[in-house]
Amino acid sequence: MNSHFPFINIHTHKISDTDVSILNVSDIVFLNPHQQFVSIGLHPWTINKVDADKTLELIRERSKDKNVVAIGEFGLDKLIDVDTHLQETLFREQITIAEHVHKPIIIHCVKAFDNLIRIKKEIKITVPVIVHGYNNNVQIANELLKNGFYISLGKALLNEESNASKVISLIPDELLFLETDDSDFTINEVYEAASKHLKKDIELLKQLIYKNYIRIFNHE
Ligand SMILES: [Zn+2]
């Protein structure tokens, strides 16, 4: 059966021939305006490896580019050796950039969900916020959903026992995304796994996620 709805890969680090995918570009210096859709951001893991101010300036400049469809991934990570305050400062600055250009945010969050939710409430973020690669417990998922976050699930769905597999059915259709991130799985495999967990036809799933994509990325 031919489908009218494309596979949407909301977050990947690999160039692929997926219908629609948002490539996370780590070296934004090489961003080419003719490239496919990209997201740009200063990842917490990169903070200490680059000139953070310069990188922010570059993100600010390029954030207006047409093919830059989202700001990210950036976020908060408690398992790395980067000052928490510095992480939070850069996090807030990138939110400001996203708000300025009205583009969705793709979030990397490790053991810092309390802070993430607190900051979202505090500064009343108006652009859509997608927590990518979610693989945490039901309680945190519920908190995120209650606070209007979108949740994107990836390779963890291929493991029956993962948290992602346990929370997927709790996520309302209109807040769900799927992704491959840096894994070697294809987005089709991730959709197949999601479709099994949800007991939903894969074509229906494609339709639901496509709707979300259109809604938050303002593509007509
Ligand atoms: Zn990623």
Side-chain angles (χ1 to χ4, degrees), residues 177-218:
F177 280 110
L178 297 172
E179 64 176 56
T180 56
D181 199 10
D182 57 359
S183 76
D184 288 324
F185 293 111
T186 63
I187 194 64
N188 306 45
E189 291 173 293
V190 177
Y191 271 70
E192 268 166 38
S195 132
K196 264 187 223 151
H197 291 304
L198 292 172
K199 300 184 178 65
K200 268 189 181 124
D201 184 80
I202 199 150
E203 294 305 328
L204 174 61
L205 188 59
K206 284 165 80 178
Q207 182 180 359
L208 296 172
I209 291 179
Y210 181 68
K211 267 196 201 161
N212 295 344
Y213 166 73
I214 294 294
R215 178 171 10 89
I216 82 166
F217 290 91
N218 287 316

Short mmCIF file of all heavy atoms in Angstrom, two decimals, residues 177-218:
data_model
loop_
_atom_site.label_atom_id
_atom_site.label_comp_id
_atom_site.label_asym_id
_atom_site.label_seq_id
_atom_site.Cartn_x
_atom_site.Cartn_y
_atom_site.Cartn_z
N PHE A 177 6.74 12.07 19.04
CA PHE A 177 7.63 12.05 17.87
C PHE A 177 8.52 10.83 17.93
O PHE A 177 8.68 10.22 18.99
CB PHE A 177 8.49 13.33 17.81
CG PHE A 177 7.77 14.52 17.27
CD1 PHE A 177 7.43 15.58 18.10
CD2 PHE A 177 7.43 14.59 15.91
CE1 PHE A 177 6.75 16.69 17.60
CE2 PHE A 177 6.76 15.70 15.42
CZ PHE A 177 6.42 16.74 16.26
N LEU A 178 9.12 10.49 16.79
CA LEU A 178 10.06 9.35 16.74
C LEU A 178 11.35 9.80 16.07
O LEU A 178 11.36 10.75 15.28
CB LEU A 178 9.43 8.18 15.98
CG LEU A 178 8.17 7.57 16.63
CD1 LEU A 178 7.53 6.55 15.69
CD2 LEU A 178 8.49 6.92 17.98
N GLU A 179 12.42 9.10 16.39
CA GLU A 179 13.74 9.54 15.91
C GLU A 179 14.72 8.37 15.86
O GLU A 179 14.50 7.33 16.48
CB GLU A 179 14.30 10.57 16.90
CG GLU A 179 14.54 9.96 18.29
CD GLU A 179 15.19 10.92 19.28
OE1 GLU A 179 14.63 12.01 19.51
OE2 GLU A 179 16.26 10.58 19.82
N THR A 180 15.83 8.57 15.15
CA THR A 180 16.90 7.56 15.18
C THR A 180 18.12 8.04 15.98
O THR A 180 18.96 7.24 16.36
CB THR A 180 17.38 7.21 13.76
OG1 THR A 180 17.78 8.40 13.10
CG2 THR A 180 16.28 6.51 12.97
N ASP A 181 18.23 9.35 16.19
CA ASP A 181 19.39 9.92 16.89
C ASP A 181 20.68 9.44 16.23
O ASP A 181 20.78 9.49 15.02
CB ASP A 181 19.31 9.55 18.39
CG ASP A 181 20.18 10.46 19.25
OD1 ASP A 181 20.68 11.49 18.74
OD2 ASP A 181 20.37 10.16 20.44
N ASP A 182 21.64 8.93 17.02
CA ASP A 182 22.91 8.50 16.40
C ASP A 182 22.96 6.99 16.19
O ASP A 182 24.02 6.43 15.95
CB ASP A 182 24.10 8.98 17.25
CG ASP A 182 24.00 8.49 18.67
OD1 ASP A 182 23.01 7.80 19.02
OD2 ASP A 182 24.92 8.78 19.46
N SER A 183 21.82 6.31 16.32
CA SER A 183 21.82 4.85 16.21
C SER A 183 21.93 4.41 14.75
O SER A 183 21.80 5.21 13.83
CB SER A 183 20.52 4.28 16.79
OG SER A 183 19.46 4.49 15.88
N ASP A 184 22.13 3.11 14.55
CA ASP A 184 22.20 2.56 13.20
C ASP A 184 20.86 2.03 12.73
O ASP A 184 20.74 1.51 11.63
CB ASP A 184 23.25 1.44 13.14
CG ASP A 184 24.66 2.01 13.22
OD1 ASP A 184 24.87 3.11 12.66
OD2 ASP A 184 25.52 1.39 13.87
N PHE A 185 19.84 2.14 13.57
CA PHE A 185 18.51 1.71 13.15
C PHE A 185 17.97 2.70 12.12
O PHE A 185 18.33 3.87 12.12
CB PHE A 185 17.55 1.66 14.34
CG PHE A 185 17.89 0.59 15.33
CD1 PHE A 185 18.36 0.91 16.59
CD2 PHE A 185 17.74 -0.76 15.00
CE1 PHE A 185 18.69 -0.08 17.51
CE2 PHE A 185 18.06 -1.75 15.91
CZ PHE A 185 18.54 -1.41 17.17
N THR A 186 17.06 2.20 11.28
CA THR A 186 16.40 3.12 10.35
C THR A 186 15.15 3.65 11.06
O THR A 186 14.64 3.04 12.00
CB THR A 186 15.95 2.40 9.06
OG1 THR A 186 14.98 1.40 9.42
CG2 THR A 186 17.13 1.75 8.37
N ILE A 187 14.63 4.75 10.55
CA ILE A 187 13.42 5.32 11.15
C ILE A 187 12.25 4.36 10.93
O ILE A 187 11.36 4.26 11.78
CB ILE A 187 13.13 6.75 10.61
CG1 ILE A 187 12.09 7.46 11.48
CG2 ILE A 187 12.71 6.72 9.16
CD1 ILE A 187 12.50 7.74 12.91
N ASN A 188 12.28 3.59 9.85
CA ASN A 188 11.22 2.61 9.60
C ASN A 188 11.16 1.58 10.73
O ASN A 188 10.08 1.19 11.18
CB ASN A 188 11.44 1.87 8.28
CG ASN A 188 11.61 2.82 7.12
OD1 ASN A 188 12.35 3.81 7.22
ND2 ASN A 188 10.94 2.54 6.02
N GLU A 189 12.33 1.14 11.19
CA GLU A 189 12.39 0.16 12.28
C GLU A 189 11.82 0.76 13.58
O GLU A 189 11.15 0.07 14.34
CB GLU A 189 13.83 -0.31 12.51
CG GLU A 189 14.38 -1.15 11.38
CD GLU A 189 15.87 -1.47 11.55
OE1 GLU A 189 16.70 -0.53 11.49
OE2 GLU A 189 16.19 -2.65 11.76
N VAL A 190 12.12 2.03 13.81
CA VAL A 190 11.61 2.68 15.02
C VAL A 190 10.07 2.79 14.94
O VAL A 190 9.37 2.52 15.91
CB VAL A 190 12.26 4.07 15.23
CG1 VAL A 190 11.67 4.78 16.44
CG2 VAL A 190 13.78 3.93 15.40
N TYR A 191 9.56 3.15 13.76
CA TYR A 191 8.11 3.23 13.59
C TYR A 191 7.46 1.86 13.78
O TYR A 191 6.39 1.74 14.38
CB TYR A 191 7.74 3.78 12.19
CG TYR A 191 7.62 5.28 12.11
CD1 TYR A 191 8.74 6.10 12.20
CD2 TYR A 191 6.38 5.90 11.93
CE1 TYR A 191 8.63 7.48 12.11
CE2 TYR A 191 6.27 7.28 11.84
CZ TYR A 191 7.39 8.06 11.93
OH TYR A 191 7.27 9.43 11.84
N GLU A 192 8.11 0.83 13.24
CA GLU A 192 7.56 -0.53 13.38
C GLU A 192 7.45 -0.91 14.84
O GLU A 192 6.43 -1.45 15.28
CB GLU A 192 8.46 -1.55 12.67
CG GLU A 192 8.06 -1.82 11.24
CD GLU A 192 9.16 -2.56 10.48
OE1 GLU A 192 9.82 -3.45 11.08
OE2 GLU A 192 9.37 -2.22 9.30
N ALA A 193 8.50 -0.63 15.61
CA ALA A 193 8.49 -0.96 17.04
C ALA A 193 7.40 -0.17 17.74
O ALA A 193 6.62 -0.71 18.53
CB ALA A 193 9.86 -0.65 17.65
N ALA A 194 7.30 1.13 17.42
CA ALA A 194 6.28 1.98 18.04
C ALA A 194 4.88 1.46 17.70
O ALA A 194 4.00 1.41 18.56
CB ALA A 194 6.45 3.41 17.57
N SER A 195 4.71 1.05 16.46
CA SER A 195 3.41 0.58 16.01
C SER A 195 2.99 -0.69 16.76
O SER A 195 1.83 -0.86 17.12
CB SER A 195 3.46 0.41 14.49
OG SER A 195 2.94 -0.81 14.08
N LYS A 196 3.96 -1.57 17.06
CA LYS A 196 3.67 -2.76 17.84
C LYS A 196 3.26 -2.41 19.27
O LYS A 196 2.27 -2.91 19.80
CB LYS A 196 4.91 -3.66 17.89
CG LYS A 196 4.89 -4.75 16.84
CD LYS A 196 6.06 -5.71 17.03
CE LYS A 196 6.68 -6.04 15.68
NZ LYS A 196 8.10 -6.36 15.77
N HIS A 197 4.05 -1.53 19.89
CA HIS A 197 3.75 -1.14 21.27
C HIS A 197 2.37 -0.49 21.38
O HIS A 197 1.65 -0.70 22.35
CB HIS A 197 4.79 -0.15 21.81
CG HIS A 197 6.15 -0.76 22.01
ND1 HIS A 197 6.36 -1.86 22.80
CD2 HIS A 197 7.36 -0.42 21.52
CE1 HIS A 197 7.65 -2.16 22.79
NE2 HIS A 197 8.28 -1.32 22.02
N LEU A 198 2.05 0.33 20.39
CA LEU A 198 0.79 1.09 20.45
C LEU A 198 -0.39 0.31 19.89
O LEU A 198 -1.53 0.76 20.00
CB LEU A 198 0.94 2.40 19.67
CG LEU A 198 1.89 3.44 20.27
CD1 LEU A 198 2.10 4.59 19.30
CD2 LEU A 198 1.34 3.95 21.60
N LYS A 199 -0.08 -0.85 19.28
CA LYS A 199 -1.10 -1.63 18.58
C LYS A 199 -1.86 -0.73 17.60
O LYS A 199 -3.09 -0.75 17.50
CB LYS A 199 -2.07 -2.29 19.57
CG LYS A 199 -1.35 -3.24 20.51
CD LYS A 199 -2.31 -3.98 21.44
CE LYS A 199 -1.59 -4.95 22.34
NZ LYS A 199 -0.66 -4.27 23.31
N LYS A 200 -1.08 0.08 16.90
CA LYS A 200 -1.66 0.98 15.90
C LYS A 200 -1.01 0.66 14.57
O LYS A 200 0.19 0.42 14.51
CB LYS A 200 -1.33 2.44 16.25
CG LYS A 200 -2.36 3.12 17.10
CD LYS A 200 -2.06 4.61 17.22
CE LYS A 200 -3.11 5.25 18.10
NZ LYS A 200 -2.56 5.95 19.25
N ASP A 201 -1.81 0.70 13.54
CA ASP A 201 -1.30 0.49 12.20
C ASP A 201 -0.20 1.52 11.90
O ASP A 201 -0.29 2.68 12.28
CB ASP A 201 -2.46 0.68 11.22
CG ASP A 201 -2.04 0.38 9.82
OD1 ASP A 201 -1.97 -0.80 9.48
OD2 ASP A 201 -1.74 1.35 9.08
N ILE A 202 0.84 1.07 11.21
CA ILE A 202 1.97 1.95 10.95
C ILE A 202 1.57 3.17 10.11
O ILE A 202 2.09 4.27 10.31
CB ILE A 202 3.14 1.17 10.32
CG1 ILE A 202 4.45 1.92 10.49
CG2 ILE A 202 2.90 0.83 8.87
CD1 ILE A 202 5.66 1.04 10.58
N GLU A 203 0.63 2.97 9.21
CA GLU A 203 0.19 4.10 8.38
C GLU A 203 -0.55 5.15 9.21
O GLU A 203 -0.40 6.34 8.99
CB GLU A 203 -0.71 3.63 7.23
CG GLU A 203 0.02 2.76 6.21
CD GLU A 203 1.27 3.43 5.63
OE1 GLU A 203 1.29 4.67 5.50
OE2 GLU A 203 2.23 2.70 5.32
N LEU A 204 -1.29 4.67 10.19
CA LEU A 204 -1.99 5.60 11.09
C LEU A 204 -0.95 6.37 11.93
O LEU A 204 -1.06 7.58 12.12
CB LEU A 204 -2.94 4.82 12.01
CG LEU A 204 -3.62 5.64 13.10
CD1 LEU A 204 -4.50 6.74 12.50
CD2 LEU A 204 -4.46 4.73 14.01
N LEU A 205 0.05 5.65 12.39
CA LEU A 205 1.12 6.28 13.18
C LEU A 205 1.84 7.35 12.36
O LEU A 205 2.11 8.45 12.84
CB LEU A 205 2.09 5.18 13.62
CG LEU A 205 3.17 5.56 14.61
CD1 LEU A 205 2.58 6.11 15.90
CD2 LEU A 205 4.04 4.33 14.92
N LYS A 206 2.11 7.03 11.11
CA LYS A 206 2.76 8.01 10.23
C LYS A 206 1.90 9.26 10.09
O LYS A 206 2.40 10.38 10.10
CB LYS A 206 3.02 7.39 8.84
CG LYS A 206 4.20 6.43 8.84
CD LYS A 206 4.23 5.57 7.59
CE LYS A 206 4.82 6.31 6.41
NZ LYS A 206 4.88 5.42 5.22
N GLN A 207 0.61 9.03 9.98
CA GLN A 207 -0.31 10.15 9.84
C GLN A 207 -0.32 11.03 11.09
O GLN A 207 -0.26 12.26 11.00
CB GLN A 207 -1.71 9.62 9.56
CG GLN A 207 -2.74 10.70 9.34
CD GLN A 207 -4.13 10.15 9.07
OE1 GLN A 207 -4.33 8.94 9.02
NE2 GLN A 207 -5.08 11.05 8.89
N LEU A 208 -0.37 10.38 12.26
CA LEU A 208 -0.41 11.12 13.52
C LEU A 208 0.84 11.98 13.70
O LEU A 208 0.76 13.15 14.06
CB LEU A 208 -0.50 10.15 14.71
CG LEU A 208 -1.74 9.28 14.81
CD1 LEU A 208 -1.59 8.25 15.93
CD2 LEU A 208 -2.95 10.18 15.06
N ILE A 209 1.98 11.37 13.42
CA ILE A 209 3.23 12.10 13.64
C ILE A 209 3.44 13.18 12.58
O ILE A 209 3.94 14.26 12.88
CB ILE A 209 4.41 11.11 13.74
CG1 ILE A 209 4.24 10.31 15.05
CG2 ILE A 209 5.76 11.82 13.71
CD1 ILE A 209 5.28 9.28 15.32
N TYR A 210 2.98 12.89 11.39
CA TYR A 210 3.07 13.90 10.34
C TYR A 210 2.25 15.14 10.72
O TYR A 210 2.68 16.27 10.53
CB TYR A 210 2.57 13.33 9.01
CG TYR A 210 2.64 14.30 7.87
CD1 TYR A 210 3.87 14.71 7.37
CD2 TYR A 210 1.48 14.82 7.29
CE1 TYR A 210 3.94 15.63 6.33
CE2 TYR A 210 1.55 15.73 6.25
CZ TYR A 210 2.78 16.13 5.77
OH TYR A 210 2.85 17.03 4.74
N LYS A 211 1.09 14.90 11.29
CA LYS A 211 0.24 16.01 11.75
C LYS A 211 0.97 16.86 12.78
O LYS A 211 0.92 18.08 12.75
CB LYS A 211 -1.03 15.45 12.41
CG LYS A 211 -2.21 15.29 11.52
CD LYS A 211 -3.46 15.12 12.41
CE LYS A 211 -4.59 14.47 11.66
NZ LYS A 211 -5.58 13.90 12.60
N ASN A 212 1.64 16.19 13.72
CA ASN A 212 2.38 16.92 14.75
C ASN A 212 3.48 17.75 14.12
O ASN A 212 3.71 18.91 14.48
CB ASN A 212 3.01 15.95 15.75
CG ASN A 212 1.96 15.20 16.54
OD1 ASN A 212 0.80 15.61 16.57
ND2 ASN A 212 2.37 14.12 17.19
N TYR A 213 4.15 17.12 13.18
CA TYR A 213 5.26 17.79 12.49
C TYR A 213 4.78 19.05 11.78
O TYR A 213 5.35 20.13 11.94
CB TYR A 213 5.88 16.79 11.51
CG TYR A 213 6.80 17.39 10.51
CD1 TYR A 213 8.08 17.84 10.88
CD2 TYR A 213 6.43 17.52 9.18
CE1 TYR A 213 8.93 18.40 9.95
CE2 TYR A 213 7.28 18.07 8.24
CZ TYR A 213 8.52 18.51 8.64
OH TYR A 213 9.36 19.06 7.71
N ILE A 214 3.71 18.91 11.04
CA ILE A 214 3.16 20.05 10.30
C ILE A 214 2.73 21.16 11.27
O ILE A 214 3.00 22.33 11.07
CB ILE A 214 1.93 19.63 9.45
CG1 ILE A 214 2.36 18.66 8.35
CG2 ILE A 214 1.20 20.82 8.89
CD1 ILE A 214 3.27 19.28 7.31
N ARG A 215 2.09 20.75 12.35
CA ARG A 215 1.58 21.72 13.30
C ARG A 215 2.71 22.52 13.93
O ARG A 215 2.69 23.73 13.99
CB ARG A 215 0.74 21.02 14.38
CG ARG A 215 0.22 21.98 15.43
CD ARG A 215 -0.80 21.37 16.39
NE ARG A 215 -0.97 19.94 16.32
CZ ARG A 215 -0.26 19.05 17.04
NH1 ARG A 215 0.65 19.45 17.86
NH2 ARG A 215 -0.48 17.77 16.91
N ILE A 216 3.77 21.84 14.40
CA ILE A 216 4.75 22.60 15.16
C ILE A 216 5.84 23.23 14.30
O ILE A 216 6.49 24.16 14.71
CB ILE A 216 5.34 21.82 16.35
CG1 ILE A 216 6.44 20.89 15.92
CG2 ILE A 216 4.28 21.11 17.16
CD1 ILE A 216 7.22 20.39 17.12
N PHE A 217 6.02 22.71 13.10
CA PHE A 217 7.03 23.32 12.23
C PHE A 217 6.41 24.28 11.21
O PHE A 217 7.10 24.80 10.34
CB PHE A 217 7.88 22.25 11.54
CG PHE A 217 8.79 21.55 12.51
CD1 PHE A 217 8.39 20.40 13.16
CD2 PHE A 217 10.05 22.06 12.79
CE1 PHE A 217 9.22 19.76 14.07
CE2 PHE A 217 10.89 21.43 13.70
CZ PHE A 217 10.47 20.27 14.34
N ASN A 218 5.11 24.47 11.32
CA ASN A 218 4.42 25.42 10.45
C ASN A 218 4.64 25.22 8.98
O ASN A 218 4.70 26.16 8.22
CB ASN A 218 4.87 26.85 10.79
CG ASN A 218 4.26 27.30 12.09
OD1 ASN A 218 3.09 27.09 12.34
ND2 ASN A 218 5.07 27.90 12.94
#
